[in-house]
């Protein structure tokens, strides 16, 4: 029997999987808003604005295969997080951000989806966290492991989740 890939290969397909498993990627992540324009609308929106367990804002970017705008979108999100992250608590009081907490960018994707970020991964700017989803099957059930490649202000850990 031929089976397709466990992880969807396009952003629109990967985002629902990631959004439904945020806690498997990093404990305490909470989705606040979807499709955030970081001021670089020609690059497209980032997938979500999250709050982490410490109350800091997190911009989540999904890295899918064949996305030529990914590096630009990640850089725009990093600039947005650096510039506005500490003031988002006042700008969005209902979000529950810790006042003054620095923002960061979390990029989630498959190895092929993350390939356009190779230079950025080597530079590892402050505020950038990147994890790769590694799919596998056990007894017919599909799972994925999370492998951290770059840790901005996050804690290193590996996790596994059923998908």
């Amino acid at each position: 029997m031929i089976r397709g890939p466990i992880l969807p290969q396009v952003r629109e397909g990967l985002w629902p999987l990631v959004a439904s498993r945020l806690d498997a990627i990093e404990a305490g992540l909470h989705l606040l808003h979807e499709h955030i324009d970081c001021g670089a609308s020609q690059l497209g929106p980032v997938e979500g604005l999250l709050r982490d367990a410490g109350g800091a804002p997190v911009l989540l970017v999904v890295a899918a295969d064949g996305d030529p705008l990914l590096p630009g979108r990640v850089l725009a999100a990093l600039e947005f997080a650096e510039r506005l992250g500490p003031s988002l608590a006042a700008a969005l009081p209902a979000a529950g951000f810790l006042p003054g907490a620095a923002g960061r960018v979390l990029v989630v994707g498959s190895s092929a989806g993350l390939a356009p970020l190779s230079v950025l991964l080597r530079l590892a700017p402050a505020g950038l966290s990147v994890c790769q989803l590694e799919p596998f099957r056990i007894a017919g059930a599909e799972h994925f492991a999370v492998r951290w490649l770059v840790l901005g202000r996050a804690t290193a850990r590996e996790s596994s989740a059923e998908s």
Side-chain angles (χ1 to χ4, degrees):
M1 170 171 47
I2 299 175
R3 297 215 21 165
I6 294 173
L7 296 176
Q9 302 303 308
V10 295
R11 284 175 62 200
E12 296 79 16
L14 188 53
W15 168 239
L17 174 67
V18 170
S20 68
R21 306 291 174 137
L22 290 173
D23 207 46
I25 293 170
E26 182 180 314
L29 285 179
H30 180 71
L31 177 63
L32 302 170
H33 299 284
E34 293 187 55
H35 310 296
I36 309 304
D37 183 350
C38 294
S41 58
Q42 69 275 12
L43 299 172
V46 300
E47 279 66 35
L49 175 62
L50 317 172
R51 183 183 59 242
D52 69 13
V58 178
L59 293 164
L60 189 134
V61 179
V62 170
D65 295 2
D67 182 359
L69 300 177
L70 178 64
R73 197 167 39 258
V74 170
L75 288 171
L78 280 167
E79 193 275 331
F80 180 91
E82 182 180 327
R83 184 171 40 92
L84 297 177
S87 59
L88 283 177
L92 301 169
F97 294 127
L98 182 67
R104 65 183 169 102
V105 175
L106 171 60
V107 182
V108 178
S110 65
S111 60
L114 293 169
L117 297 179
S118 60
V119 172
L120 199 55
L121 292 176
R122 284 192 302 273
L123 295 173
L128 177 65
S129 299
V130 180
C131 67
Q132 181 175 322
L133 301 181
E134 299 278 357
F136 62 96
R137 289 185 183 90
I138 297 177
E142 297 177 342
H143 302 267
F144 66 83
V146 176
R147 189 164 63 99
W148 290 96
L149 304 177
V150 174
L151 295 166
R153 295 180 193 108
T155 303
R157 68 177 182 82
E158 299 236 352
S159 64
S160 176
E162 185 174 339
S163 58

